[in-house]
Coordinates of all heavy atoms in Angstrom, one line a residue:
L6 N 0.8 -1.2 0.0 CA 0.0 0.0 0.0 C 0.9 1.2 0.0 O 1.9 1.3 0.7 CB -0.9 0.0 1.2 CG -1.9 -1.1 1.3 CD1 -2.7 -1.1 2.6 CD2 -2.8 -1.1 0.1
F7 N 0.5 2.2 -0.8 CA 1.2 3.5 -0.9 C 0.4 4.6 -0.5 O -0.9 4.6 -0.6 CB 1.7 3.7 -2.3 CG 2.7 2.7 -2.8 CD1 2.3 1.5 -3.4 CD2 4.1 2.9 -2.6 CE1 3.3 0.6 -3.9 CE2 5.0 2.0 -3.0 CZ 4.6 0.9 -3.7
M8 N 1.0 5.7 0.1 CA 0.3 6.8 0.6 C 0.8 8.1 -0.1 O 2.0 8.2 -0.3 CB 0.4 7.0 2.1 CG -0.2 5.8 2.8 SD 0.0 6.0 4.6 CE -1.2 7.3 4.9
T9 N -0.1 9.0 -0.4 CA 0.3 10.3 -0.9 C 0.8 11.2 0.2 O 0.5 10.9 1.4 CB -0.9 11.0 -1.6 OG1 -1.8 11.4 -0.6 CG2 -1.4 10.2 -2.7
D10 N 1.4 12.4 -0.1 CA 1.8 13.3 0.9 C 0.6 13.9 1.7 O 0.6 14.1 2.9 CB 2.7 14.4 0.4 CG 2.1 15.2 -0.8 OD1 0.9 14.9 -1.2 OD2 2.7 16.1 -1.3
V11 N -0.6 14.0 1.0 CA -1.8 14.5 1.6 C -2.3 13.5 2.6 O -2.7 13.8 3.8 CB -2.9 14.8 0.6 CG1 -4.2 15.1 1.2 CG2 -2.5 15.9 -0.3
Q12 N -2.2 12.2 2.3 CA -2.6 11.1 3.2 C -1.7 11.0 4.4 O -2.2 10.8 5.5 CB -2.7 9.8 2.5 CG -3.8 9.7 1.4 CD -3.7 8.5 0.5 OE1 -2.6 8.1 0.1 NE2 -4.8 7.9 0.2
V13 N -0.4 11.2 4.2 CA 0.6 11.1 5.3 C 0.3 12.3 6.2 O 0.3 12.1 7.4 CB 2.0 11.1 4.7 CG1 3.0 11.2 5.9 CG2 2.2 9.8 3.9
A14 N 0.1 13.5 5.7 CA -0.1 14.6 6.5 C -1.4 14.4 7.3 O -1.4 14.8 8.5 CB -0.2 15.9 5.6
A15 N -2.4 13.9 6.7 CA -3.7 13.6 7.5 C -3.4 12.6 8.6 O -4.0 12.7 9.7 CB -4.8 13.2 6.5
R16 N -2.6 11.6 8.3 CA -2.3 10.6 9.3 C -1.8 11.2 10.6 O -2.0 10.7 11.7 CB -1.3 9.6 8.7 CG -1.0 8.4 9.6 CD -0.1 7.4 8.9 NE 0.2 6.3 9.6 CZ -0.4 5.1 9.5 NH1 -1.3 4.9 8.6 NH2 0.0 4.0 10.2
Y17 N -1.0 12.3 10.5 CA -0.4 12.9 11.6 C -1.0 14.2 12.0 O -0.5 15.0 12.7 CB 1.1 13.1 11.4 CG 1.8 11.8 11.1 CD1 2.3 11.5 9.9 CD2 1.9 10.9 12.1 CE1 2.8 10.2 9.6 CE2 2.5 9.6 11.9 CZ 2.9 9.3 10.6 OH 3.5 8.1 10.4
S18 N -2.2 14.4 11.5 CA -3.0 15.6 11.8 C -2.3 16.9 11.5 O -2.4 17.9 12.3 CB -3.5 15.6 13.2 OG -4.3 14.5 13.5
L19 N -1.5 16.9 10.4 CA -0.8 18.1 10.0 C -1.7 19.0 9.1 O -2.4 18.5 8.3 CB 0.5 17.8 9.3 CG 1.5 16.9 10.1 CD1 2.6 16.4 9.2 CD2 2.0 17.7 11.3
K20 N -1.6 20.3 9.2 CA -2.4 21.2 8.4 C -1.9 21.3 7.0 O -2.6 21.7 6.1 CB -2.4 22.6 9.1 CG -3.1 22.6 10.4 CD -3.1 24.0 11.0 CE -3.4 24.0 12.5 NZ -4.8 24.1 12.8
S21 N -0.6 21.0 6.8 CA 0.0 21.1 5.5 C 0.8 19.9 5.1 O 1.6 19.4 5.9 CB 0.9 22.4 5.5 OG 1.7 22.4 4.3
R22 N 0.8 19.5 3.8 CA 1.6 18.4 3.4 C 3.1 18.9 3.3 O 4.0 18.0 3.3 CB 1.1 17.9 2.0 CG 1.2 18.9 0.9 CD 0.4 18.4 -0.3 NE 0.5 19.4 -1.4 CZ 1.0 19.1 -2.6 NH1 1.3 17.9 -2.9 NH2 1.1 20.1 -3.5
E23 N 3.3 20.2 3.3 CA 4.7 20.7 3.2 C 5.5 20.2 4.5 O 6.7 20.0 4.4 CB 4.7 22.2 3.1 CG 6.1 22.8 3.1 CD 7.0 22.2 2.0 OE1 6.5 21.9 0.9 OE2 8.2 22.1 2.2
A24 N 4.8 20.0 5.6 CA 5.5 19.6 6.8 C 6.1 18.2 6.6 O 7.2 18.0 7.1 CB 4.5 19.5 8.0
I25 N 5.4 17.3 5.9 CA 6.0 16.0 5.6 C 7.3 16.1 4.8 O 8.3 15.5 5.1 CB 5.0 15.1 4.9 CG1 3.8 14.8 5.7 CG2 5.6 13.8 4.4 CD1 4.1 14.0 7.0
W26 N 7.3 17.0 3.8 CA 8.5 17.2 3.0 C 9.6 17.8 3.8 O 10.8 17.5 3.6 CB 8.1 18.1 1.7 CG 7.2 17.3 0.8 CD1 5.9 17.5 0.6 CD2 7.6 16.2 0.0 NE1 5.4 16.6 -0.3 CE2 6.4 15.8 -0.7 CE3 8.8 15.6 -0.3 CZ2 6.5 14.7 -1.6 CZ3 8.8 14.5 -1.2 CH2 7.7 14.1 -1.8
K27 N 9.3 18.7 4.7 CA 10.3 19.3 5.6 C 10.9 18.2 6.5 O 12.1 18.1 6.7 CB 9.6 20.3 6.5 CG 10.6 21.2 7.3 CD 9.9 22.3 8.0 CE 10.8 23.2 8.8 NZ 10.1 24.2 9.5
W28 N 10.1 17.3 7.0 CA 10.6 16.1 7.8 C 11.6 15.3 7.0 O 12.6 14.9 7.4 CB 9.5 15.2 8.3 CG 8.6 15.8 9.3 CD1 8.7 17.1 9.9 CD2 7.4 15.2 9.9 NE1 7.7 17.2 10.8 CE2 6.9 16.1 10.9 CE3 6.8 14.0 9.8 CZ2 5.8 15.8 11.6 CZ3 5.7 13.7 10.5 CH2 5.2 14.6 11.4
V29 N 11.2 15.0 5.7 CA 12.0 14.2 4.8 C 13.4 15.0 4.6 O 14.4 14.4 4.7 CB 11.3 14.0 3.5 CG1 12.3 13.3 2.4 CG2 10.1 13.1 3.7
R30 N 13.3 16.3 4.3 CA 14.6 17.0 4.0 C 15.5 17.0 5.3 O 16.7 17.0 5.1 CB 14.2 18.5 3.7 CG 13.7 18.6 2.2 CD 13.7 20.1 1.8 NE 12.8 20.9 2.6 CZ 11.5 21.1 2.5 NH1 10.9 20.5 1.5 NH2 10.9 21.9 3.3
N31 N 14.9 17.0 6.5 CA 15.6 17.0 7.7 C 16.1 15.7 8.1 O 16.7 15.5 9.2 CB 14.8 17.7 8.8 CG 14.6 19.2 8.6 OD1 15.4 19.8 7.9 ND2 13.6 19.7 9.2
G32 N 15.7 14.6 7.4 CA 16.1 13.3 7.7 C 15.3 12.7 8.9 O 15.7 11.7 9.4
A33 N 14.1 13.3 9.2 CA 13.3 12.9 10.3 C 12.2 12.0 9.9 O 11.4 11.6 10.8 CB 12.8 14.1 11.0
F34 N 12.1 11.6 8.6 CA 11.0 10.8 8.1 C 11.5 10.0 6.9 O 12.3 10.5 6.2 CB 9.8 11.7 7.7 CG 8.5 11.0 7.6 CD1 7.8 10.5 8.7 CD2 7.9 10.8 6.3 CE1 6.6 9.9 8.5 CE2 6.7 10.1 6.1 CZ 6.1 9.7 7.3
P35 N 10.9 8.8 6.7 CA 11.4 8.0 5.6 C 11.2 8.7 4.2 O 10.2 9.5 4.1 CB 10.4 6.8 5.6 CG 9.9 6.7 7.0 CD 9.9 8.1 7.5
K36 N 12.1 8.5 3.3 CA 12.1 9.1 2.0 C 11.0 8.4 1.2 O 10.8 7.2 1.3 CB 13.4 9.0 1.3 CG 14.5 9.8 1.9 CD 15.8 9.7 1.1 CE 16.8 10.6 1.7 NZ 18.0 10.6 1.0
P37 N 10.3 9.1 0.4 CA 9.3 8.5 -0.5 C 9.9 7.8 -1.7 O 11.1 8.0 -1.9 CB 8.5 9.7 -0.9 CG 9.4 10.9 -1.0 CD 10.4 10.6 0.2
I38 N 9.1 7.1 -2.4 CA 9.6 6.4 -3.6 C 8.9 7.1 -4.9 O 7.7 7.4 -4.8 CB 9.1 5.0 -3.6 CG1 9.8 4.3 -2.4 CG2 9.4 4.2 -4.9 CD1 9.2 2.9 -2.1
K39 N 9.7 7.4 -5.9 CA 9.2 8.0 -7.1 C 8.7 6.8 -8.0 O 9.5 6.1 -8.5 CB 10.2 8.8 -7.8 CG 9.7 9.6 -8.9 CD 10.7 10.7 -9.3 CE 10.1 11.8 -10.2 NZ 9.4 12.8 -9.5
L40 N 7.4 6.7 -8.1 CA 6.8 5.6 -8.9 C 6.8 5.9 -10.4 O 7.0 5.1 -11.3 CB 5.4 5.3 -8.5 CG 5.3 4.8 -7.0 CD1 3.8 4.6 -6.7 CD2 6.0 3.5 -6.8
S41 N 6.7 7.2 -10.7 CA 6.7 7.7 -12.1 C 6.9 9.2 -12.0 O 6.8 9.8 -11.0 CB 5.5 7.3 -12.9 OG 4.3 8.0 -12.3
P42 N 7.1 9.9 -13.2 CA 7.2 11.3 -13.1 C 5.9 11.9 -12.6 O 4.8 11.6 -13.0 CB 7.4 11.7 -14.6 CG 8.0 10.5 -15.2 CD 7.4 9.3 -14.5
G43 N 6.1 12.7 -11.6 CA 4.9 13.4 -10.9 C 4.1 12.5 -10.0 O 3.1 12.9 -9.5
C44 N 4.7 11.3 -9.7 CA 4.0 10.4 -8.8 C 5.0 9.9 -7.7 O 5.7 8.9 -8.0 CB 3.4 9.2 -9.5 SG 2.4 8.1 -8.5
T45 N 4.9 10.5 -6.5 CA 5.8 10.1 -5.4 C 4.9 9.7 -4.3 O 4.0 10.3 -3.9 CB 6.7 11.3 -5.0 OG1 7.4 11.8 -6.1 CG2 7.6 11.0 -3.9
R46 N 5.3 8.5 -3.7 CA 4.5 7.9 -2.7 C 5.4 7.3 -1.6 O 6.5 7.0 -1.8 CB 3.6 6.8 -3.2 CG 2.6 7.2 -4.3 CD 1.5 8.1 -3.7 NE 0.5 8.4 -4.7 CZ 0.5 9.5 -5.5 NH1 1.4 10.4 -5.4 NH2 -0.5 9.7 -6.4
W47 N 4.8 7.1 -0.4 CA 5.4 6.5 0.7 C 4.8 5.1 0.8 O 3.6 4.9 0.7 CB 5.2 7.2 2.0 CG 6.1 8.4 2.2 CD1 7.3 8.4 2.9 CD2 5.9 9.7 1.7 NE1 7.8 9.7 2.8 CE2 6.9 10.5 2.1 CE3 4.8 10.3 1.0 CZ2 7.0 11.8 1.8 CZ3 4.9 11.6 0.6 CH2 6.0 12.4 1.1
K48 N 5.7 4.1 1.1 CA 5.2 2.8 1.4 C 4.6 2.8 2.8 O 5.2 3.2 3.8 CB 6.3 1.7 1.4 CG 6.7 1.3 0.0 CD 7.8 0.2 0.1 CE 8.2 -0.3 -1.2 NZ 9.1 -1.4 -1.1

């Protein structure tokens, strides 16, 4: 099962999906997988 950044943000009750990307940049969250151009998901 894969999750979008919107779904991941909702899982942690974050107001913005940008918070997830900030966690990834800071090394505080698993990196997503690029499934295709324009399609990045987390397992």
Side-chain angles (χ1 to χ4, degrees):
L6 298 177
F7 292 91
M8 297 181 72
T9 66
D10 54 359
V11 172
Q12 292 170 320
V13 174
R16 185 178 182 98
Y17 300 109
S18 302
L19 300 170
K20 296 179 193 270
S21 166
R22 62 189 182 127
E23 180 56 35
I25 295 297
W26 291 104
K27 188 175 183 180
W28 290 359
V29 170
R30 284 192 301 273
N31 293 336
F34 196 72
K36 290 183 178 181
I38 297 167
K39 190 165 195 82
L40 298 176
S41 66
C44 183
T45 303
R46 301 288 187 266
W47 282 263
K48 284 185 176 183

